[in-house]
Amino acid sequence: MTQYNLLQAENAKPIKMWTKGVPVEPEAKEQLTKTAKLPFIFKHIAVMPDVHVGKGSTIGSVIPTMGAIIPAAVGVDIGCGMIAVQTSLMAADLPDNLLPLRTEIEKAVPHGLTPKHRGRDYGSWHDAPAIVEQYWQQLVPGFDKLTEKYPRFLKTNHYRHLGTLGTGNHFIEICLDEADRVWIMLHSGSRGVGNAIGSFFIEMAKKDMEVHIQNLPDKDLAYLEEGTEHFHDYVEAVHWAQEFARLNREAMMHNVILAMRKIITKPFTTHMSAVNCHHNYVQKEQHFGEDIFVTRKGAVSARKGELGIIPGSMGAKSYIVRGLGNEDSFCSCSHGAGRVMSRTAAKKQFTIEDQIKATAHVECRKDANVIDEIPMAYKDIDAVMTAQNELVEIVHQLRQVVCVKG
C-alpha cells in the first residue's frame, strides 16, 4: 500500500505527496497545483513531508521537466545544502563548557551580514585563508567563462564569500549520534554569487516570456525553453553555482575542524563517511526510461544506497539517511523539518524566554535575532521522518550540542 496522498486538479499533472501525519497549508497545495498545470511537467510532481509555501515555488517539491527549466523553482540559493562529517571524538572528549568552542568556530567562519550602510560585510572574508584560494582555483575556469559573457557577475561577492556561512537558516553544528560519537554538520549554499545568478536568470525567463506570461498560472513560473540561448547559459551557470556551493561547504568544514583542534587537545580524525548534498538545485537525470531535468526545491537526492542529511530545527534532532531509490519520488526525500509558520509569525508568537527554554541543551545564541529559527516554528521532525519511511532509512540520529547561526 502506497504512503503518498494524491492531489489531482483539472488540466494538471498528478501531485504525489508524502505528507501523511504532517500538516500542509492550503496555500502550498495551491502553489503546487499551479506548477502542475505547466505543459512540460513530466509524469507527476513529488512532494516531501517538509513542504511549505516558498518564493517562486513550493519548498519541499521535486519538479521533473522535459524541454524547460523554471529558474524561480531552483531559486536564488542555488546549491544550498548540507555537509556532515563523523569524527573519532566521543561526547566525553568535549569540554564541559562549550562556549569557547562555539566562539572559536564563529571566529573561524565568517557568518551573518552587515547592513550595506555600515561598511564592510563581516559575513565575508577580509583576508581569506589559503584554503579559500585553493578552492577558488577550482572554480576559476568556469567563472571566467561565465563572466566573459555576463560581466555583471564580476561585481558580486564570490571569492570573498567562498568558505562563509551566510544568514537565515544556515548553520554550523556540533552533534552527537546515538553512540555519543561527535559529528560536525553545516548548512549553506552559493552565497552572493549564486543569488545574483538566480535573480538574473529569473528575470531573463520573465523577459523571454513577456508575450506569454499572462497565460502562466503565476509569473514566478516563467521558464526557459531548451534550445534557447538563455536556457543553455542558465544550465552552465547553475552548474557552476552548485559547484561553488559544494566547495563552500568543504572550505567551511576544513576551517571548523581547525577551530575544534584549537579547543580540543585530544588528537582526532575525521571520517568523510557522510555527505555533501545539495537540496536546492537542478540536474539532468534518468527516470522512467527518459532523460529529464529534475529540480529539487528543498529536497535531497535519495537514490538506492545514497547517503543524505535531513536536519531538524535548531534544538531538535537531525538524521543521516540512506536512500531507498523510490522512483515515484524521483528518488528524493525531505531536506529538513519544514516551517509551520513564517519568520514574522514566529517573532510575533515567541519570546527570548521561549527560545532559551527550547534550546536549553544547546550552546547557541539565544537572542531576539534568532527567534525566527525557534524549534516550534518547524514541523515535528519525527512525524516528517515517519511520513517518508518508504523514501529513506535512518542510519544515524544526531542531537545538537553546539549551534552557530548565520
Side-chain angles (χ1 to χ4, degrees), residues 67-86:
I69 292 175
I70 311 160
V74 180
V76 295
D77 199 355
I78 299 167
C80 184
M82 304 283 306
I83 185 170
V85 168
Q86 183 190 333

Side-chain angles (χ1 to χ4, degrees), residues 309-329:
I309 308 168
I310 303 176
S313 64
M314 186 180 182
K317 291 170 282 193
S318 297
Y319 292 92
I320 306 294
V321 297
R322 185 181 290 112
L324 297 176
N326 187 306
E327 264 299 329
D328 273 333
S329 73

Side-chain angles (χ1 to χ4, degrees), residues 6 28 37 100 114 145-146 160 168 187 226 294 321 333 382 388:
L6 191 63
K37 289 183 175 177
T114 306
K145 188 178 178 187
L146 175 66
R160 287 189 182 282
H187 170 211
E226 195 163 8
V294 177
V321 297
C333 67
D382 291 325
Q388 59 185 333

Side-chain angles (χ1 to χ4, degrees), residues 140-197:
V140 165
F143 191 63
D144 287 348
K145 188 178 178 187
L146 175 66
T147 52
E148 189 180 342
K149 184 159 189 183
Y150 297 102
R152 62 174 45 239
F153 299 127
L154 287 166
K155 295 175 184 169
T156 59
N157 262 323
H158 36 82
Y159 178 82
R160 287 189 182 282
H161 269 181
L162 186 61
T164 72
L165 188 62
T167 60
N169 62 354
H170 294 159
F171 61 77
I172 301 166
E173 290 180 341
I174 308 300
C175 304
L176 304 175
D177 69 11
E178 63 289 337
D180 270 355
R181 290 174 295 231
V182 175
W183 288 66
I184 310 163
M185 184 166 80
L186 63 87
H187 170 211
S188 191
S190 53
R191 304 291 282 110
V193 67
N195 188 301
I197 289 168

Side-chain angles (χ1 to χ4, degrees), residues 57-134:
S57 102
T58 321
I59 295 163
S61 61
V62 182
I63 305 167
T65 57
M66 285 189 90
I69 292 175
I70 311 160
V74 180
V76 295
D77 199 355
I78 299 167
C80 184
M82 304 283 306
I83 185 170
V85 168
Q86 183 190 333
T87 76
S88 59
L89 293 169
M90 301 297 290
D93 300 322
L94 295 175
D96 291 338
N97 180 6
L98 293 169
L99 177 59
L101 180 56
R102 172 163 75 95
T103 305
E104 199 60 46
I105 292 169
E106 287 174 342
K107 283 197 300 197
V109 179
H111 56 286
L113 176 72
T114 306
K116 280 186 177 162
H117 62 277
R118 291 196 197 157
R120 196 187 71 78
D121 178 14
Y122 62 71
S124 65
W125 292 110
H126 185 55
D127 296 305
I131 189 71
V132 170
E133 178 62 30
Q134 191 180 314

Side-chain angles (χ1 to χ4, degrees), residues 313-316 350-368 370-371 373-377 400:
S313 64
M314 186 180 182
F350 299 108
T351 64
I352 293 174
E353 287 69 34
D354 294 328
Q355 173 75 354
I356 290 168
K357 195 174 172 185
T359 61
H361 59 296
V362 185
E363 172 52 57
C364 63
R365 282 171 55 200
K366 301 177 195 281
D367 55 76
V370 291
I371 287 175
E373 283 294 307
I374 198 166
M376 291 83 85
Q400 301 96 321

